[in-house]
Amino acid sequence: MANAIEEQDALDWVKNDKRRMLHVVYRVGDLDKTIKFYTECLGMKVLRKRDIPEERYSNAFLGYGPEESHFAIELTYNYGVDKYDIGDGFGHFGIAAEDVAKTINLIKGKGGKVTREPGPVKGGNTIIAFIEDPDGYKFEILERRLTSEPLCQVMLRVGDLDRSIKFYKKAFGMDLLRKKDNPDYKYTTAIMGYGPEDENAVLELTYNYGVTDYDKGNGYAQVAIGTNDVYKTAEAIKLSGGEIVREPGPLPGINTKITVCLDPDGWKWVWLIML
C-alpha cells in the first residue's frame, strides 16, 4: 500500500510541476552556413554562441525571443563532421507565419529549398508549406495569426501512438491537445504539450499505419524540458515505464541539475532545473 501511495504522489506531482519545452538540439555540418540560413530566411536571432575547443565542438542557440520565455534551437557542430544521417524517424520542426506564401518567396529569394509549395494541408484548411535547411532538416511553415511563439512544433514518428500518448501524459505531464486520424493517407497524429498550441511549442507525434520502428539517424539529438525537480521527474518517468539513461544530479563543474530519459520509442529527452 505504501508503495502505491508513493507512486500516486509522484505522478500527482508531475501535473503540478512547472514545465516548459526549452530547446531542441541537433547536429549540423556547417554552423555559420546554418545560422545564416535561419537568420536570413526564417527570421531567427542568434541568442548565444560558444566554442569548446577542448571538446572539439561549437554550438549556437537561435530563436524568436529570450530563452527564458521562448522555445529555442540549439545547433551543434562537431569539428570535422560535415554531414549527418537524419534517418526517417525525425519528422520536422514547425514555424508559424502570418503569410506562408510571402515567407516562401523570401526563402526562395535566398536560395532556400522548398519541397512543398504553399497550399491547404491534406484533409484540412490550414495553409502550409515545407522547406529544407542546408543539412536537410525539414521545416513546416504554418499560416497562423501573430503568435508569441513562432517556433511552434517538433514532429517525431512513433510506432504505437496510444502507448506514446499514455506515456507523455503520465510521465511528462503533457496534455493531449488534439488527435486526428487520416485514413485516406494512412496516418494518425497527436499534438501534445503544456499549453495551447498557438501560444506554446508542442510535440507532434505521427503514427504511420503498420510502421512500428524507425531509423533515428545521428543528426537529431533531443528536446530539453524545464522542471522544478529532476529527482522527482526521474522517479515519475521510471514509474511510467520510461528509461533513465542519466541519473539525476548536477553537471560536473556547474550547479545545473539534469536527468536524461528515453521514451518508449527511444527518443531522448533532457530535463533541466530552470533557474
Side-chain angles (χ1 to χ4, degrees):
M1 178 63 72
N3 288 339
I5 294 173
E6 290 172 7
E7 178 176 345
Q8 191 59 50
D9 286 345
L11 297 176
D12 287 344
W13 175 83
V14 167
K15 297 299 293 183
N16 295 318
D17 186 23
K18 186 179 180 182
R19 298 183 166 189
R20 182 172 69 84
M21 288 172 59
L22 302 177
H23 55 260
V24 60
V25 186
Y26 53 103
R27 303 171 183 94
V28 298
D30 186 326
L31 192 57
D32 291 336
K33 183 178 180 180
T34 303
I35 289 172
K36 180 179 173 68
F37 179 82
Y38 287 8
T39 54
E40 292 186 359
C41 293
L42 300 178
M44 294 185 191
K45 297 178 180 178
V46 178
L47 305 175
R48 56 189 169 105
K49 186 178 178 183
R50 61 181 179 174
D51 185 39
I52 301 92
E54 63 273 18
E55 297 183 29
R56 297 183 56 77
Y57 79 91
S58 303
N59 63 12
F61 287 77
L62 295 95
Y64 293 100
E67 291 176 66
E68 294 77 16
S69 56
H70 289 72
F71 191 53
I73 283 172
E74 180 183 347
L75 302 173
T76 298
Y77 167 70
N78 292 296
Y79 290 11
V81 184
D82 61 6
K83 188 172 179 59
Y84 290 93
D85 173 19
I86 298 175
D88 60 5
F90 167 77
H92 61 257
F93 305 111
I95 293 182
E98 288 188 89
D99 189 327
V100 169
K102 183 177 179 180
T103 301
I104 291 301
N105 284 336
L106 170 64
I107 291 168
K108 285 181 177 178
K110 295 290 184 178
K113 182 179 179 181
V114 176
T115 58
R116 184 198 191 276
E117 293 290 339
V121 66
K122 293 176 181 177
N125 298 316
T126 304
I127 302 300
I128 67 166
F130 274 92
I131 67 166
E132 287 186 7
D133 78 355
D135 287 272
Y137 291 101
K138 293 180 174 62
F139 283 78
E140 181 181 20
I141 314 298
L142 305 99
E143 193 155 283
R144 287 184 182 169
R145 62 176 174 78
L146 186 64
T147 174
S148 60
E149 189 64 279
L151 183 57
C152 59
Q153 166 186 117
V154 177
M155 191 276 261
L156 302 174
R157 298 183 177 94
V158 297
D160 184 328
L161 188 58
D162 290 337
R163 177 186 67 182
S164 294
I165 290 171
K166 181 179 179 181
F167 174 81
Y168 282 106
K169 287 174 71 174
K170 186 177 180 181
F172 283 26
M174 289 184 176
D175 295 318
L176 175 60
L177 303 175
R178 59 186 172 94
K179 181 181 178 184
K180 184 176 182 181
D181 187 33
N182 298 274
D184 290 345
Y185 303 101
K186 297 186 177 181
Y187 75 94
T188 308
T189 58
I191 304 294
M192 308 200 70
Y194 295 111
E197 60 181 298
D198 58 344
E199 299 174 8
N200 299 268
V202 298
L203 172 65
E204 178 181 355
L205 301 173
T206 296
Y207 168 69
N208 292 298
Y209 291 9
V211 183
T212 59
D213 192 39
Y214 291 95
D215 174 11
K216 295 179 178 60
N218 62 359
Y220 173 86
Q222 68 230 11
V223 172
I225 296 180
T227 176
N228 289 325
D229 190 321
V230 294
Y231 299 95
K232 290 183 179 178
T233 291
E235 184 62 26
I237 289 168
K238 290 176 183 177
L239 290 169
S240 304
E243 180 184 356
I244 298 297
V245 293
R246 188 193 192 281
E247 291 294 332
L251 288 168
I254 58 177
N255 292 324
T256 303
K257 293 182 176 67
I258 75 166
T259 190
V260 182
C261 74
L262 302 180
D263 80 350
D265 287 273
W267 293 113
K268 186 178 177 182
W269 294 79
V270 175
W271 298 80
L272 310 171
I273 290 185
M274 295 183 289
L275 301 177

